[in-house]
Coordinates of all heavy atoms in Angstrom, one line a residue:
V534 N 1.7 68.1 16.5 CA 0.8 68.8 15.7 C 0.3 70.1 16.4 O -0.2 70.0 17.5 CB -0.4 68.0 15.2 CG1 -1.4 68.8 14.4 CG2 0.1 66.7 14.5
L536 N -1.9 73.8 15.9 CA -2.7 74.7 15.1 C -2.2 76.1 15.4 O -2.1 76.5 16.5 CB -4.2 74.5 15.4 CG -4.9 73.4 14.7 CD1 -4.4 72.0 15.1 CD2 -6.4 73.5 14.9
R576 N -7.1 66.0 22.0 CA -7.2 66.4 20.6 C -8.5 67.1 20.3 O -8.6 67.8 19.3 CB -7.0 65.2 19.7 CG -5.5 64.7 19.7 CD -5.3 63.4 19.0 NE -3.9 63.0 19.1 CZ -3.5 61.9 18.7 NH1 -4.3 60.9 18.4 NH2 -2.2 61.6 18.8
W584 N -10.4 80.8 13.6 CA -10.1 80.9 12.2 C -11.2 81.7 11.5 O -12.4 81.6 12.0 CB -9.8 79.6 11.6 CG -8.4 79.0 12.0 CD1 -7.5 79.6 12.7 CD2 -8.0 77.7 11.6 NE1 -6.4 78.8 12.8 CE2 -6.7 77.6 12.2 CE3 -8.5 76.6 10.9 CZ2 -5.9 76.4 12.0 CZ3 -7.7 75.5 10.8 CH2 -6.4 75.4 11.3
V592 N -1.3 74.8 10.0 CA -1.0 73.8 11.0 C 0.4 73.4 10.9 O 0.9 73.1 9.8 CB -1.9 72.6 10.8 CG1 -1.6 71.5 11.8 CG2 -3.4 73.0 10.9
L611 N -3.9 68.4 4.7 CA -4.7 68.2 6.0 C -5.9 67.4 5.7 O -6.6 67.5 4.6 CB -5.0 69.5 6.6 CG -3.8 70.4 7.1 CD1 -4.3 71.7 7.6 CD2 -3.1 69.7 8.2
L612 N -6.3 66.6 6.7 CA -7.6 65.8 6.7 C -8.4 66.5 7.8 O -8.0 66.5 8.9 CB -7.4 64.4 7.0 CG -6.5 63.6 6.0 CD1 -6.3 62.1 6.5 CD2 -7.2 63.5 4.6
T613 N -9.6 67.0 7.4 CA -10.5 67.7 8.4 C -11.9 67.2 8.3 O -12.3 66.5 7.3 CB -10.5 69.2 8.1 OG1 -11.0 69.4 6.7 CG2 -9.1 69.8 8.1
T614 N -12.6 67.5 9.3 CA -14.1 67.2 9.4 C -14.8 68.4 10.0 O -14.1 69.2 10.7 CB -14.4 66.0 10.2 OG1 -13.9 66.1 11.5 CG2 -13.9 64.7 9.5
F618 N -13.4 72.4 3.7 CA -12.1 72.9 3.8 C -11.3 72.6 2.6 O -11.2 71.4 2.1 CB -11.4 72.2 5.0 CG -10.1 72.8 5.4 CD1 -9.9 73.9 6.1 CD2 -8.9 72.1 5.0 CE1 -8.7 74.4 6.5 CE2 -7.6 72.6 5.3 CZ -7.6 73.8 6.1
I648 N -14.3 73.1 13.1 CA -13.5 72.3 12.3 C -12.5 71.5 13.1 O -11.9 72.0 14.1 CB -12.7 73.1 11.2 CG1 -11.9 72.2 10.3 CG2 -11.8 74.1 11.9 CD1 -11.3 73.0 9.1
T649 N -12.3 70.2 12.8 CA -11.4 69.3 13.5 C -10.3 68.8 12.6 O -10.6 68.3 11.5 CB -12.1 68.1 14.2 OG1 -13.1 68.6 15.1 CG2 -11.2 67.2 14.9
I650 N -9.1 68.9 13.0 CA -8.0 68.4 12.2 C -7.8 66.9 12.6 O -7.4 66.6 13.7 CB -6.7 69.2 12.5 CG1 -6.9 70.7 12.2 CG2 -5.6 68.7 11.6 CD1 -7.3 71.0 10.8
N651 N -8.2 66.0 11.7 CA -8.1 64.6 12.0 C -6.8 64.0 11.7 O -6.4 62.9 12.2 CB -9.2 63.8 11.3 CG -10.6 64.3 11.7 OD1 -10.8 64.5 12.8 ND2 -11.5 64.4 10.7
G652 N -6.0 64.6 10.8 CA -4.7 64.0 10.3 C -4.2 64.7 9.1 O -4.5 65.8 8.8
L666 N -4.6 61.1 13.3 CA -3.8 61.4 14.5 C -4.1 60.4 15.6 O -3.2 60.1 16.4 CB -4.2 62.8 15.0 CG -3.9 64.0 14.1 CD1 -4.2 65.3 14.8 CD2 -2.4 64.0 13.7
C677 N -7.1 70.0 18.5 CA -7.3 69.9 17.1 C -8.7 70.4 16.6 O -9.0 70.2 15.5 CB -7.1 68.4 16.7 SG -5.5 67.8 16.9
T678 N -9.4 71.1 17.5 CA -10.7 71.6 17.1 C -10.7 73.1 17.3 O -10.3 73.6 18.4 CB -11.8 71.0 18.0 OG1 -11.8 69.6 17.8 CG2 -13.2 71.6 17.6

Side-chain angles (χ1 to χ4, degrees):
V534 177
L536 277 66
R576 288 176 181 164
W584 284 352
V592 177
L611 295 172
L612 297 175
T613 63
T614 56
F618 187 82
I648 184 172
T649 301
I650 305 300
N651 296 323
L666 298 183
C677 295
T678 301

